[in-house]
Amino acid sequence: MLNIKLRTRFAPSPTGYLHIGGLRTALYSYLFAKQNNGQFILRLEDTDLKRQVEGAAERIYEGLKWAGLNYDEGPDVGGDFGPYIQSKRLKLYKNHADELIQKDRAYYCFCTDETLEKMREEQIAKKQAPKYDRRCLNLPADEIESRLKNNEPHVIRMKIPANRIIEFNDIVRGKVAYNTNELDDQVLLKSDGYPTYHLAVVVDDHLMQISHVTRTEEWLPSTPKHILLYEYFGWERPHWAHLPLLLNPDKSKMSKRKGDVAVEDYIKKGYLAEAMINFLAFLGWNPGTEKEIYSIEELLKDFSLEKVHKAGAIFNIEKLNWYNQYHMRQMDLDKLTEACIPYLTEKGLIFPKFDHSFEIAAIKGPFTVKEFEINQTKEKISFDFIKKAVALERERASNLSQIGESVRLFFEEPEYDKDLLFWKDASKEEIKNSLKILEKIINEIPEKSFTKEKLQEIIMPEAQKLPNRGIMLWPLRAALSGQKASPGPFEIAEALGKEKTLERIKKAIEKL
Ligand code: GLU
């Protein structure tokens, strides 16, 4: 355990949704803080006005809470270092930009967008790397004063020293060095009075006493600028850990065009938080053993920021499905059933509908409703009925939404073509005869002993009498499920109950 006051933060921009890669960053930051008795902070970086989206902040709060990554301080929970939303801290950034002007570490720049664009085009034409040419660096003091007085639009830029090597030790990447000649005189304060990311992130990480900055690798080239700012302000640097990017299987950067990237899309499909955490933990780290199944408590013991890999981590949906299947099988059946209920209502199989939206039900479950109705028939059903259906389907599904779909056969009359009832080359008479025998013998089973064991005990000897037992078992399963592949006929019959089982057999006989 590190012997300092350790504070990490997750600092997303509320531009729409919580990105799956963001959740991985948050997880690593959380684990590192919590395994060292430290604090984990949420800060919203909303200084790019053009990219703000209504409701995006709430989606970040909900996603983190769903995953169990509870933050000690943040916009909606408060804390001693707030406000935790950058747009509420504008004065601070302005004061700090002014301080750098006083210290001659920054300067006013009055160049218009057109001037900058022209400069860029000319540099590109001359095959030079586009860079601010510093034409405002040495404006005379009286000219600056009068232009400011006239409210001429301007920005504040930082002075980057020439030809200096900036070095730091990244926890993940080891020694990293940049030459300042590669850097532009970065804008710190924009003409609308908003700070750029670079100024805001440094001011906030310092004032919020962040000891370790964990973020993805795309921010690595920004770090030398941040180091200079720490120096200019006379502040102690934090430690940095630049995490590997998440990649599509084709090694491209994960993006919306290639699949789901929003955490809420995975919640809607019915991925369990436990599975998601387990999966994300391994995108950039592994324990170096065979152990693949981890709860968050176990991660707190074994995770190590120092062992995070440098190479990009491939987001493999099959692996996520595998984890989800595993965690669904492990889950207490009552809890799993509760978790499935929003999906059953969403697919129109059962009532009640929740008064809040499906998304909220899926995120917030477990719920308190205890009475249910089959939507199609308005028949009252018990929690136990739903539970039996879920128990049968959980083996084959890789998410809750799939369970929600595959249990349909328990809640709606199956629709199927009569050809489905035929076993191999059995004749219509043989199939019809089988179903009639089934109708008769099932009818004789008393309601209270209508179990899969009993059904098997009564039906198997009859099926054995036929040239092939498929002649009886296949049409039974087809009649009950209406599907080519489904759980076994005895299990389905038990879950449906005697009455429905007989009804479905009758319907099948009528079809033939
Ligand atoms: N606001 C930045 C982002 O959305 C945060 C980068 C950082 O953590 O410094 O990724």
Side-chain angles (χ1 to χ4, degrees):
M1 203 180 290
L2 290 168
N3 201 9
I4 51 165
K5 196 169 139 224
L6 197 145
R7 288 166 61 84
T8 65
R9 78 333 185 249
F10 174 49
S13 298
T15 54
Y17 48 80
L18 176 56
H19 193 284
I20 197 83
L23 188 61
R24 199 277 319 260
T25 298
L27 171 64
Y28 284 12
S29 313
Y30 170 89
L31 291 173
F32 183 63
K34 293 294 141 192
Q35 57 188 193
N36 289 293
N37 264 338
Q39 270 125 21
F40 170 59
I41 288 113
L42 173 67
R43 179 176 73 227
L44 294 184
E45 306 210 321
D46 60 342
T47 57
D48 189 348
L49 286 175
K50 291 190 289 298
R51 297 178 63 221
Q52 303 315 315
V53 174
E54 186 64 26
E58 286 67 29
R59 288 152 91 179
I60 293 172
Y61 309 151
E62 270 168 10
L64 291 173
K65 284 173 193 158
W66 168 79
L69 303 183
N70 295 318
Y71 33 96
D72 301 291
E73 298 164 31
D76 58 332
V77 300
D80 293 342
F81 300 85
Y84 294 90
I85 300 187
Q86 289 187 327
S87 59
K88 298 200 171 145
R89 302 169 64 83
L90 298 182
K91 189 131 204 331
L92 276 169
Y93 309 126
K94 164 92 176 70
N95 292 345
H96 282 89
D98 288 346
E99 181 185 329
L100 294 183
I101 296 257
Q102 300 308 322
K103 289 181 164 165
D104 198 24
R105 297 295 201 178
Y107 58 97
Y108 293 106
C109 166
F110 298 91
C111 292
T112 61
D113 286 349
E114 296 76 58
T115 311
L116 294 172
E117 187 46 36
K118 211 168 141 238
M119 187 186 307
R120 224 180 94 83
E121 279 164 11
E122 283 168 9
Q123 288 166 337
I124 291 174
K126 283 191 229 150
K127 301 220 173 346
Q128 294 167 349
K131 205 171 171 185
Y132 181 58
D133 68 4
R134 309 187 115 190
R135 64 180 70 175
C136 287
L137 177 62
N138 293 314
L139 295 180
D142 53 345
E143 181 185 335
I144 296 174
E145 204 178 316
S146 80
R147 290 175 87 166
L148 289 177
K149 245 197 210 127
N150 286 335
N151 285 328
E152 217 179 287
H154 61 272
V155 302
I156 294 181
R157 287 184 185 270
M158 76 185 279
K159 278 190 187 172
I160 302 274
N163 210 19
R164 238 189 79 186
I165 303 294
I166 310 268
E167 262 183 4
F168 66 103
N169 256 321
D170 189 271
I171 297 174
V172 173
R173 316 190 67 85
K175 199 184 201 142
V176 183
Y178 283 92
N179 187 311
T180 52
N181 290 349
E182 295 162 32
L183 308 178
D184 212 348
D185 276 0
Q186 177 65 51
V187 174
L188 298 176
L189 204 69
K190 297 181 273 189
S191 56
D192 60 3
Y194 272 67
T196 56
Y197 159 71
H198 306 280
L199 176 64
V201 80
V202 168
V203 168
D204 286 350
D205 283 341
H206 173 73
L207 295 180
M208 294 180 182
Q209 297 183 9
I210 301 302
S211 61
H212 290 74
V213 171
T214 43
R215 60 184 173 209
T216 43
E217 192 191 314
E218 62 199 319
W219 301 104
L220 193 64
S222 300
T223 308
K225 296 179 197 170
H226 301 175
I227 289 177
L228 284 171
L229 287 173
Y230 279 97
E231 214 181 276
Y232 293 174
F233 286 119
W235 295 338
E236 197 185 322
R237 302 176 184 181
H239 300 276
W240 281 278
H242 286 92
L243 311 174
L245 292 176
L246 301 195
L247 306 175
N248 291 310
D250 66 3
K251 302 246 166 112
S252 59
K253 197 176 145 185
M254 267 189 93
S255 74
K256 221 173 176 173
R257 274 182 304 116
K258 299 237 168 128
D260 291 326
V261 290
V263 171
E264 63 203 72
D265 293 332
Y266 292 91
I267 300 177
K268 279 186 222 158
K269 289 202 174 128
Y271 286 93
L272 301 174
E274 294 85 338
M276 187 54 94
I277 289 293
N278 196 161
F279 169 69
L280 289 178
F282 276 74
L283 290 185
W285 167 85
N286 70 61
T289 64
E290 296 287 292
K291 185 170 160 68
E292 284 196 285
I293 300 299
Y294 268 91
S295 65
I296 198 146
E297 291 74 26
E298 291 170 308
L299 285 170
L300 282 168
K301 277 204 231 112
D302 287 6
F303 175 78
S304 151
L305 196 57
E306 287 81 15
K307 286 203 193 130
V308 168
H309 318 146
K310 280 192 228 165
I314 304 232
F315 187 99
N316 178 340
I317 189 81
E318 276 88 47
K319 193 71 195 185
L320 174 60
N321 288 339
W322 181 84
Y323 274 117
N324 208 45
Q325 207 153 31
Y326 177 88
H327 286 275
M328 284 196 315
R329 284 185 187 153
Q330 293 299 305
M331 204 168 170
D332 170 75
L333 185 55
D334 277 14
K335 285 218 178 84
L336 179 66
T337 307
E338 285 191 357
C340 285
I341 284 175
Y343 297 85
L344 270 67
T345 65
E346 202 250 340
K347 290 181 192 292
L349 302 183
I350 58 169
F351 263 90
K353 278 253 179 243
F354 297 99
D355 45 1
H356 39 56
S357 72
F358 158 68
E359 283 83 359
I360 306 282
I363 293 173
K364 297 217 170 131
F367 54 94
T368 49
V369 190
K370 287 282 173 254
E371 281 182 4
F372 308 95
E373 217 173 61
I374 291 188
N375 199 9
Q376 201 179 51
T377 58
K378 304 294 169 234
E379 176 195 345
K380 297 248 177 298
I381 46 160
S382 64
F383 183 77
D384 258 20
F385 179 86
I386 305 175
K387 195 163 134 181
K388 277 188 186 155
V390 168
L392 288 181
E393 297 294 346
R394 82 155 141 190
E395 293 305 316
R396 299 186 306 148
S398 48
N399 58 48
L400 302 179
S401 178
Q402 278 177 8
I403 296 187
E405 190 50 49
S406 56
V407 294
R408 187 174 287 277
L409 73 101
F410 297 92
F411 300 88
E412 284 177 359
E413 277 296 327
E415 279 176 28
Y416 59 94
D417 191 272
K418 72 166 191 269
D419 290 349
L420 186 73
L421 295 166
F422 285 84
W423 164 257
K424 296 195 171 158
D425 48 10
S427 70
K428 184 162 134 185
E429 295 327 307
E430 282 177 299
I431 298 292
K432 206 165 182 173
N433 193 39
S434 283
L435 287 166
K436 283 196 169 152
I437 297 171
L438 285 165
E439 189 185 8
K440 181 166 169 295
I441 59 179
I442 289 176
N443 207 2
E444 282 161 10
I445 304 176
E447 192 104 33
K448 62 178 186 327
S449 48
F450 199 77
T451 61
K452 58 176 190 284
E453 292 79 15
K454 186 77 187 171
L455 286 154
Q456 177 156 12
E457 182 192 314
I458 307 260
I459 295 170
M460 283 315 270
E462 291 297 328
Q464 311 284 18
K465 289 181 197 160
L466 302 171
N468 186 310
R469 58 191 194 171
I471 300 172
M472 183 170 278
L473 300 182
W474 177 270
L476 175 61
R477 209 188 47 71
L480 297 183
S481 72
Q483 293 170 4
K484 274 203 190 96
S486 73
F490 307 134
E491 283 86 359
I492 302 180
E494 177 186 313
L496 284 174
K498 182 172 169 179
E499 199 187 310
K500 282 209 183 87
T501 300
L502 285 171
E503 260 169 39
R504 291 190 185 184
I505 293 174
K506 274 198 194 95
K507 279 246 165 75
I509 296 172
E510 281 162 21
K511 268 186 195 273
L512 289 165

